[in-house]
Amino acid sequence: MTARTLYEANGHRFILLEGFGHGEMVPTNQVLIHNGDEGILLDPGGHKVHYDLMDTISALMPINQLKYLFFSHQDPDIVAAINAWLMLSDADAYISKLWLRFVPHFGVDELMIARLKGIPDEGMRLPLGDGELVFVPGHFLHSCGNFQVYDPQAKILFTGDLGASIGPDYVEVTDFDAHVPYMEGFHRRYMPSGHANRAWAEMARGLEIEMIVPQHGAIFPTPELSRRFIDWVAELPGAGEVMESMYRVPA
Ligand code: FE
């Protein structure tokens, strides 16, 4: 498990926590953004990751500075340990309002439930230290209630499952074309809508982006590689259309 500082200036840090998840678990990236004396943890992950992650974060900042938790969507590799995080911190937890009544099924104590906050469909801005973050819509990429995080100071976009790669043995993409095979299978099956893919690409082209960091696999560490990725998503067909011929009753 490694903490890599992707950006650090003026009391603002964007830290990639990678190499979590082992055995049958799909490997996950977590992100800590810290500004002044406030931190936010993006897509904290499940139970098996929780203790290691807690240790790693404690070495980076006092855990009582963890002010927010962000969940891009409702999947277990993101949300499963939510109760533990709420118990061990005073953080408020942000997730699409679509999932507010489903997440408690992971077991959120009655006392914690008031700290679970719904993000409206159009997204929102969140103050962090003396800066702010933007929760941008990523609906249907892949979950129907899905958000990404744009850090305007670091100019890094955290894309959740969008951009996930399975199997590369490197942390930073260098050759986009060589990287595509690691992304293709996942995106063709998990990203349901070509229409949403294109709409997202249009929005992303309006952001100033230095790096793109997904929740699984390698990151796109330069503006050029980030742009190649956005262009690739714009052309990506939706799984709903790709799989149309599968809608048949099994014999
Ligand atoms: Fe997911």
Side-chain angles (χ1 to χ4, degrees), residues 73 75 77-78 142 161:
H73 62 293
D75 277 347
D77 57 326
I78 292 166
H142 66 96
D161 274 340

Side-chain angles (χ1 to χ4, degrees), residues 73-75 77-78 142-143 146 161 186 190 215-216:
H73 62 293
Q74 82 289 3
D75 277 347
D77 57 326
I78 292 166
H142 66 96
S143 167
N146 200 115
D161 274 340
F186 177 82
Y190 281 79
Q215 196 224 345
H216 307 282

Side-chain angles (χ1 to χ4, degrees), residues 88-99:
L88 289 163
S89 72
D90 297 322
D92 283 337
Y94 282 84
I95 191 165
S96 160
K97 64 173 188 179
L98 267 65
W99 302 119

Side-chain angles (χ1 to χ4, degrees), residues 94-98 117-124 135 137 139 147:
Y94 282 84
I95 191 165
S96 160
K97 64 173 188 179
L98 267 65
K117 313 283 185 193
I119 308 171
D121 274 347
E122 57 273 26
M124 60 180 278
F135 296 163
H139 305 307
F147 287 93

Side-chain angles (χ1 to χ4, degrees), residues 1-8 13-20 28-33 41 52-61 171-172 219:
M1 278 141 250
T2 326
R4 284 175 192 245
T5 303
L6 300 183
Y7 175 91
E8 179 163 24
R13 290 184 291 167
F14 188 108
I15 301 165
L16 172 66
L17 307 158
E18 52 92 11
F20 294 87
T28 53
N29 296 324
Q30 277 74 38
V31 166
L32 178 70
I33 306 174
L41 179 61
D52 288 343
L53 194 54
M54 198 77 183
D55 278 352
T56 308
I57 291 175
S58 301
L60 295 164
M61 70 172 199
V171 177
E172 300 192 355
I219 68 169

Side-chain angles (χ1 to χ4, degrees), residues 32-34 37-41 61 65-68 128:
L32 178 70
I33 306 174
H34 190 233
D37 56 6
E38 294 184 353
I40 180 171
L41 179 61
M61 70 172 199
Q65 294 188 356
L66 187 62
K67 188 147 189 227
Y68 305 109
L128 183 76

Side-chain angles (χ1 to χ4, degrees), residues 92-112:
D92 283 337
Y94 282 84
I95 191 165
S96 160
K97 64 173 188 179
L98 267 65
W99 302 119
L100 283 182
R101 305 208 47 209
F102 295 83
V103 164
H105 281 269
F106 281 111
V108 178
D109 290 11
E110 206 66 49
L111 287 169
M112 315 287 161

